[in-house]
Amino acid sequence: MLFKKLAQVSSLVLSLLLYSNAAAKNLPTQSVIPGGIILIPIKDAAQKNTPQVFFSGRRAMVLRNTNEWIAVVGIPLDQQTGTAAVEIQLGTHTRTHSFNISGKTYTTQKLNVAPKQVDLSSEDLARVEREQPKIRAAMATFSEHEPLDLQLVQPVKGPRSSSYGLRRVFNGQARNPHTGMDIAAPTGTPIYTPLTGRVVDAGNYFFNGNTVIIDHGQGLVSMYCHLNSITVLVGAVLNTGDKLGEVGATGRVTGPHLHWGVALNHAFVDPVLFLERPSVAP
Ligand SMILES: [Zn+2]
């Protein structure tokens, strides 16, 4: 009898845990622009299958929320403005959800670095070509489990020295735009994990220097670059607030800082959308 009661209570607790899961999560700020995020509620209470959502052929995050789901979709910085659509698969049914991506003009930033970091030697070029697929594969990680939350803690205390989306000109030559957030801090400043996750890559790369990549679940993957030292190993599970390394100036940099990248469905989006919103309007 007591056992039965306990079983009933624990199954109630379990279902409460399961169903309050997504509802209790803080969602990122929606911003339907290149480099932003769109939140798409999916209502289909009759269906027992969890929907799968795809954007540009890449699986996107879906969170369960009591009687509905919510897709959290990253919009790549190089996405064309205008009409776009996600594909929603529910059981055997597939439908599309269209939305409009508005434009944003990002400003240009001019930087001067060592010439060999802009005009690459054939050796360095070969190294970059070897490294890119490894970095891309780590950033494309998609784990089925939901992230514990979608609000992140800024991993390093310090001013954000340049923002996401800047068009970059290195030594007078246009290069890829900036797809992360730079946080200025002295070499040796500890970097803390902004949200529980598993280390999927840790290594040294030509442009990114010493780098750590963390998988938080459902395609939310974060990246930490230019580290002076890495203090975690691939496979380690880190909790929010665990140290993962120290700020440095390795790779292509003009000075010590953390480059922080945050990706959804393999698209680097603006990390600021995951930071706590000010409780009072500025
Ligand atoms: Zn950067």
Side-chain angles (χ1 to χ4, degrees):
M1 184 65 192
L2 180 64
F3 252 127
K4 203 175 169 194
K5 260 221 147 65
L6 271 175
Q8 279 169 352
V9 169
S10 61
S11 86
L12 175 70
V13 169
L14 185 65
S15 58
L16 278 174
L17 278 173
L18 283 174
Y19 289 103
S20 62
N21 207 2
K25 285 187 178 109
N26 296 291
L27 293 171
T29 305
Q30 176 169 268
S31 173
V32 192
I33 58 169
I37 296 169
I38 183 165
L39 306 173
I40 305 168
I42 302 169
K43 290 190 204 306
D44 202 335
Q47 280 283 356
K48 290 205 163 61
N49 301 300
T50 300
Q52 289 203 357
V53 172
F54 295 84
F55 186 47
S56 300
R58 295 200 176 271
R59 182 116 175 251
M61 177 184 291
V62 176
L63 306 175
R64 181 182 286 278
N65 194 0
T66 319
N67 285 323
E68 61 170 22
W69 293 273
I70 186 156
V72 180
V73 183
I75 304 168
L77 185 58
D78 61 3
Q79 177 77 33
Q80 288 210 329
T81 56
T83 307
V86 292
E87 187 178 281
I88 302 170
Q89 293 179 1
L90 245 176
T92 54
H93 301 275
T94 298
R95 65 172 189 255
T96 56
H97 173 90
S98 299
F99 55 97
N100 190 62
I101 299 173
S102 34
K104 173 170 175 174
T105 306
Y106 290 105
T107 53
T108 299
Q109 181 188 36
K110 292 179 178 167
L111 296 164
N112 288 309
V113 293
K116 66 177 181 357
Q117 291 180 326
V118 180
D119 294 307
L120 271 54
S121 68
S122 55
E123 269 175 31
D124 287 341
L125 194 61
R127 180 181 167 191
V128 167
E129 282 169 0
R130 277 197 309 275
E131 292 174 353
Q132 301 287 14
K134 189 167 178 265
I135 298 169
R136 271 200 292 272
M139 293 310 302
T141 305
F142 194 100
S143 304
E144 292 298 330
H145 72 273
E146 289 191 12
L148 278 187
D149 201 78
L150 288 172
Q151 187 167 289
L152 307 180
V153 179
Q154 187 172 316
V156 168
K157 285 200 198 326
R160 299 169 199 164
S161 58
S162 82
S163 65
Y164 176 93
L166 293 175
R167 298 155 189 232
R168 305 243 280 195
V169 177
F170 284 97
N171 302 358
Q173 298 186 45
R175 288 293 183 267
N176 287 338
H178 190 238
T179 54
M181 174 189 284
D182 287 347
I183 305 167
T187 294
T189 306
I191 302 165
Y192 300 108
T193 307
L195 177 69
T196 296
R198 189 175 58 90
V199 179
V200 288
D201 192 42
N204 181 273
Y205 298 108
F206 183 80
F207 288 125
N208 295 339
N210 291 325
T211 298
V212 173
I213 298 176
I214 302 177
D215 164 28
H216 305 281
Q218 285 282 313
L220 177 64
V221 180
S222 61
M223 174 192 236
Y224 308 80
C225 302
H226 312 308
L227 276 53
N228 189 51
S229 62
I230 294 172
T231 56
V232 292
L233 296 171
V234 173
V237 174
L238 307 177
N239 291 313
T240 307
D242 284 352
K243 184 179 168 182
L244 64 89
E246 292 177 354
V247 171
T250 56
R252 182 166 70 182
V253 293
T254 55
H257 71 279
L258 172 70
H259 172 97
W260 182 32
V262 178
L264 283 169
N265 47 275
H266 202 197
F268 281 113
V269 296
D270 190 348
V272 80
L273 301 172
F274 291 91
L275 296 179
E276 195 180 352
R277 274 145 277 177
S279 51
V280 179

